[in-house]
Each structure stands twice: as C-alpha cells, then as structure tokens.
C-alpha cells in the first residue's frame, strides 16, 4: 500500500489509535498502524488517553511498564477505558498487561486486565530467548504470519469469554475477548501489517 492511498484526515476512515509510550517498541507500532490505515498518537498522559479511540500496548518489559503506568497516573484510567469497551491490542509485554492474572510476575507487578486469561511471563524465553515461527491466526487470511517471539509469554489458560485465535507448539499465543486483542509475538517487527489491519477493523466496527 502506498501512503497516498491512506486517508490522512478522516477519523472515520483512519481512526485515531494511541500507542502507550511509556516504554517498549513504540515507534514500530506507530509505523505499523499508519501502514494499516490508522492515525497513530503517542499516549503518555491521561489527557492523551482521553483523546484516542483505541490503544496499542507495545512489547517491552511489563514490570517497567507497570511501574511507569502507576507513576504517570495511567493505570486506573487505562482500566476504566478498557472496562468501558475501548479496543486495545497488546503485543508480548502488552499481552501481559492485558491479562487478568499473570504467573512469574514481580510481586508488585500490576496489570490493566481485560482478558480473562492467565499469562505466564517469559514462558518461551526460558526455553529459547528469541525465535521466529509461522503462526496461523484465526480471522487472518492469506496464510500464516511470521511470529517474532522475544522472551515471550504464553497463555496458560483462558476463561469462558476469551477466544483463542492462535496456538504455537501447543501453547496459546493469540487471544481475543470482545474488543481486547493480544499476541505473544510482535507483528510490528515484520512489515506484515495484517494483524494491525485486523485491529483497525475492530476499531472501525467498535
Ligand atoms: N518482548 C517482550 O515484550 C518481552 C516481555 C517481557 N519478557 C516481559 O515480561 O515483560
């Protein structure tokens, strides 16, 4: 897709989607969202969160992200927006932030929650720090995506409301519950924007 084919100003066509910019691979998500037809914005403060229609939570380090979300006064506003139905997509550390419950977290680690699932931090990381693998994702056409796993979590179990969209090696690596989407891996690092496009479609439909 060329940039000239992307509507730049119409929020109906190019919804304003924030990227939580406390820590992590923010720039890559901003670029992927633009390529997927959205208008991205960095979100660091509650006022900025109030201005976006949806949010991406990047990969990075969930313990640091949790700490910074508290320091920046964002944790409660984030929880409220997610409860109110804002579409959110989390990759890797972002998936951890969207889990109602985590395993192998730090004692003081908080999550935003939103998906009724238990996520184990660094689950793949212990076996293999970083690897790539093809992942078939439900709802994504034209073949598997290249999953980039970096000290990645997996989903240990999901509750009734959550839908498993992808597994790898017997472990759940993509989940959706209503407007909340999460992947263990990093589509923002691949140049394949199908997952971001799926999210932009979720936002348009929300
Ligand atoms: N690539 C990543 O986002 C790694 C996540 C990291 N292991 C964490 O626990 O937050």
């Amino acid at each position: 897709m060329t940039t000239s084919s992307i509507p730049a100003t119409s929020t109906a066509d190019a919804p304003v989607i924030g990227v939580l910019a406390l820590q992590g691979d923010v720039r890559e998500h901003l670029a992927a969202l633009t390529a997927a037809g959205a208008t991205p914005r960095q979100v660091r403060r509650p006022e900025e969160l109030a201005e976006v229609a949806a949010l991406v939570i990047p990969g990075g380090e969930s313990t640091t992200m949790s700490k910074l979300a508290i320091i920046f006064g964002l944790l409660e506003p984030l929880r409220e927006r997610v409860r109110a139905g804002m579409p959110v997509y989390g990759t890797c550390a972002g998936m951890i932030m969207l889990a109602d419950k985590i395993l192998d977290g730090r004692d003081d680690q908080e999550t935003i929650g939103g998906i009724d699932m238990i996520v184990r931090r660094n689950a793949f990381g212990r076996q293999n720090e970083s690897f790539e693998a093809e992942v078939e994702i439900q709802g994504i056409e034209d073949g598997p995506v290249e999953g980039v796993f970096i000290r990645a979590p997996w989903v240990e179990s999901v509750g009734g409301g959550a839908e498993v969209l992808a597994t790898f090696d017997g472990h759940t690596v993509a989940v959706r519950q209503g407007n909340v989407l999460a992947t263990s891996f990093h589509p923002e690092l691949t140049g394949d924007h199908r997952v971001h496009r799926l999210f932009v479609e979720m936002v348009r439909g929300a």
Side-chain angles (χ1 to χ4, degrees):
M1 188 188 283
T2 61
T3 43
S4 61
S5 68
I6 298 168
T9 48
S10 160
T11 49
D13 288 345
V16 176
I17 300 182
V19 179
L20 188 64
L22 300 174
Q23 190 265 337
D25 68 336
V26 174
R27 234 186 7 193
E28 289 79 359
H29 274 292
L30 294 169
L33 284 169
T34 302
T39 306
R41 296 243 193 292
Q42 298 196 33
V43 169
R44 273 193 205 88
R45 297 179 298 129
E47 305 86 83
E48 291 165 340
L49 177 63
E51 286 167 7
V52 297
L55 189 72
V56 167
I57 305 181
E61 179 46 57
S62 60
T63 54
T64 308
M65 228 181 267
S66 156
K67 233 185 279 172
L68 292 175
I70 294 166
I71 291 170
F72 280 69
L74 269 171
L75 187 63
E76 280 312 320
L78 283 165
R79 286 176 173 162
E80 272 164 38
R81 284 295 305 273
V82 174
R83 266 199 300 266
M86 174 178 69
V88 194
Y89 171 35
T91 61
C92 201
M95 167 187 259
I96 297 167
M97 293 297 288
L98 292 172
D100 283 352
K101 193 168 183 302
I102 58 175
L103 300 173
D104 296 337
R106 275 177 42 147
D107 286 348
D108 62 348
Q109 184 170 357
E110 297 279 352
T111 71
I112 299 162
I115 299 183
D116 181 7
M117 62 180 175
I118 301 175
V119 168
R120 185 178 292 280
R121 278 185 69 222
N122 302 334
F124 286 112
R126 271 195 300 268
Q127 301 171 5
N128 189 342
E129 282 290 296
S130 174
F131 61 96
E132 293 184 21
E134 292 198 337
V135 182
E136 285 277 0
I137 305 176
Q138 225 181 89
I140 298 229
E141 288 168 4
D142 304 325
V145 304
E146 195 61 27
V148 178
F149 293 81
I150 304 168
R151 298 184 62 232
W154 69 46
V155 180
E156 199 97 356
S157 64
V158 298
E163 190 189 349
V164 173
L165 300 185
T167 59
F168 170 70
D169 215 9
H171 301 288
T172 296
V173 294
V175 177
R176 176 176 178 176
Q177 181 171 331
N179 279 333
V180 188
L181 176 70
T183 60
S184 298
F185 48 91
H186 293 269
E188 74 280 11
L189 301 180
T190 62
D192 176 347
H193 304 118
R194 283 178 292 166
V195 180
H196 285 78
R197 247 182 268 139
L198 172 76
F199 182 59
V200 172
E201 282 312 311
M202 280 170 60
V203 177
R204 288 194 181 116

